[in-house]
Amino acid sequence: MNETRLPLNRHQIPASPLVLGCMRFGGEWDGLPITDDLVHEGHQAVEAALEIGINHYDLADIYTRGKAEHVFGRILSERKGLRDQIIIQSKCGIRLALEDEGPQRYDTSGAHIQASVDGILSRLGVEYLDILLLHRPDPLAHPQEIGEALAKLHQSGKVRHFGVSNMGSEQIRLLQLNTSVPLIVNQLEMSLDKIGFVEAGVTVNRPQAKDQVFPYGTMEYCQAENIQLQAWGPLAQGRFTGRVVEGQRPEIEHTVQVVNQIARERGVTAESIVLAWLMKHPAGIQPVIGSIRPERIRACRDATRIELTRHEWYELYSASCGRRM
């Protein structure tokens, strides 16, 4: 995919077509300390990502209870000059169910957003974030309060750009009406297994529309407003690229066969085909690869150099949804 198709590039942010998701950095979601082995594992993942041209890294304050950002901070401190070569994106707005701190919940209060950013910067050991995303829609959100918090973070230089995650068009629209800073990213679950982003459009005025949960109009709204759509879970936990699928629904097994056939014909990996399917969409979707395994990261290398034909794209889509158009 041509990088100029990315909305982020049109915002003068030189982001790569692929993002490395760092949710698995730091090991388990426990309170155990970070080890040198975990830092080494992170280094290997970043090295593999850099090798295939990835300069965009996605984190969140809750990933492995903050350890992911600590590990990434160690990597930055041990690879001099790396910070200036990459785009760092993190998320806030989820509070984990820790001891004496109440239930797991969403919190987009102004005070929590600002405190979260201070924590993120401290763990990463950096002076600013390139992009901050609000992690989930908070039913108790006050849009004006959020807008004021984002404006303060921007004015202070702590965050350069902002976006959201897992939100529909009307939720974004309401936030944008209440803040002076542009919201330029929306990260959603999209893959060959999670095809709601396509189904929401093609099932309009058809009986299947009643079963859709993906927010209708979100893809179109983001395209119209020049908002970068990012796909979390784009490899569908390996369902189409080597994970055992026996016993899965027939659509999965059929899609695996089609993925492998096209991969053989193209001379590339199955991972590259699965990602290229997403990147064919005219919205310029940016897949967030959530793996820490270097070999799996490298297997995505060719996704950016191939473009599926309409025939191939619809063949994969039809296999996944289990029906012809």
Side-chain angles (χ1 to χ4, degrees), residues 135-152:
H135 209 155
R136 291 277 179 177
D138 176 7
L140 298 181
H142 290 274
Q144 186 174 359
E145 182 180 350
I146 292 172
E148 291 171 355
L150 301 189
K152 288 178 182 177

Side-chain angles (χ1 to χ4, degrees), residues 155-197:
Q155 291 163 7
S156 69
K158 293 179 180 179
V159 181
R160 294 186 172 179
H161 304 281
F162 299 87
V164 298
S165 180
N166 304 296
M167 291 195 189
S169 57
E170 293 309 305
Q171 293 168 312
I172 302 171
R173 193 193 310 273
L174 179 61
L175 286 177
Q176 189 63 84
L177 286 171
N178 286 276
T179 185
S180 59
V181 297
L183 301 174
I184 64 170
V185 174
N186 188 17
Q187 190 177 116
L188 298 152
E189 185 176 19
M190 296 182 280
S191 71
L192 255 179
D193 187 40
K194 299 294 183 181
I195 58 174
F197 73 101

Side-chain angles (χ1 to χ4, degrees), residues 18-307:
L18 299 176
V19 181
L20 183 66
C22 303
M23 185 174 71
R24 291 180 171 80
F25 282 41
E28 301 298 324
W29 291 59
D30 53 34
L32 296 178
I34 294 167
T35 64
D36 289 341
D37 285 343
L38 290 173
V39 176
H40 177 67
E41 182 181 54
H43 269 293
Q44 290 183 309
V46 170
E47 182 63 35
L50 292 170
E51 283 180 21
I52 67 170
I54 293 176
N55 71 350
H56 195 161
Y57 297 82
D58 175 78
L59 298 120
D61 57 356
I62 63 165
Y63 287 169
T64 57
R65 295 193 174 189
K67 292 192 295 182
E69 290 175 335
H70 275 298
V71 166
F72 205 86
R74 283 274 303 272
I75 293 168
L76 291 174
S77 70
E78 294 170 14
R79 296 180 72 111
K80 301 302 181 184
L82 180 63
R83 174 65 187 98
D84 295 331
Q85 302 169 23
I86 64 174
I87 295 162
I88 301 177
Q89 168 179 297
S90 195
K91 301 181 281 293
C92 72
I94 299 178
R95 301 185 74 149
L96 298 176
L98 304 178
E99 291 182 12
D100 302 321
E101 292 189 19
Q104 181 157 315
R105 60 202 186 278
Y106 303 151
D107 189 346
T108 55
S109 63
H112 182 70
I113 292 172
Q114 293 190 74
S116 296
V117 169
D118 287 339
I120 291 168
L121 297 179
S122 176
R123 287 186 291 275
L124 290 172
V126 299
E127 296 181 354
Y128 68 93
L129 279 178
D130 293 287
I131 305 171
L132 174 72
L133 307 185
L134 301 180
H135 209 155
R136 291 277 179 177
D138 176 7
L140 298 181
H142 290 274
Q144 186 174 359
E145 182 180 350
I146 292 172
E148 291 171 355
L150 301 189
K152 288 178 182 177
L153 289 169
H154 187 258
Q155 291 163 7
S156 69
K158 293 179 180 179
V159 181
R160 294 186 172 179
H161 304 281
F162 299 87
V164 298
S165 180
N166 304 296
M167 291 195 189
S169 57
E170 293 309 305
Q171 293 168 312
I172 302 171
R173 193 193 310 273
L174 179 61
L175 286 177
Q176 189 63 84
L177 286 171
N178 286 276
T179 185
S180 59
V181 297
L183 301 174
I184 64 170
V185 174
N186 188 17
Q187 190 177 116
L188 298 152
E189 185 176 19
M190 296 182 280
S191 71
L192 255 179
D193 187 40
K194 299 294 183 181
I195 58 174
F197 73 101
V198 180
E199 295 279 84
V202 301
T203 60
V204 169
N205 202 35
R206 299 177 65 189
Q208 298 96 326
K210 65 180 177 59
D211 299 320
Q212 295 308 315
V213 297
F214 192 91
Y216 172 71
T218 297
M219 299 297 290
E220 294 81 2
Y221 174 81
C222 290
Q223 286 178 265
E225 298 298 323
N226 209 24
I227 294 172
Q228 178 68 60
L229 283 155
Q230 296 179 343
W232 64 265
L235 293 171
Q237 294 75 51
R239 286 182 179 86
F240 308 114
T241 55
R243 179 177 166 186
V244 176
V245 296
E246 284 82 358
Q248 297 262 22
R249 66 183 191 276
E251 292 85 356
I252 294 289
E253 297 188 21
H254 184 202
T255 306
V256 169
Q257 294 170 5
V258 177
V259 167
N260 287 333
Q261 176 188 342
I262 297 175
R264 286 193 298 270
E265 292 171 352
R266 291 282 193 147
V268 298
T269 63
E271 286 87 352
S272 293
I273 296 300
V274 170
L275 296 177
W277 183 81
L278 280 171
M279 297 163 74
K280 174 74 172 176
H281 194 283
I285 295 171
Q286 202 184 17
V288 181
I289 305 166
S291 180
I292 199 169
R293 292 165 48 195
E295 68 276 10
R296 195 160 190 233
I297 295 168
R298 293 188 179 99
C300 301
R301 180 191 306 271
D302 291 324
T304 60
R305 74 169 182 82
I306 61 173
E307 182 163 351

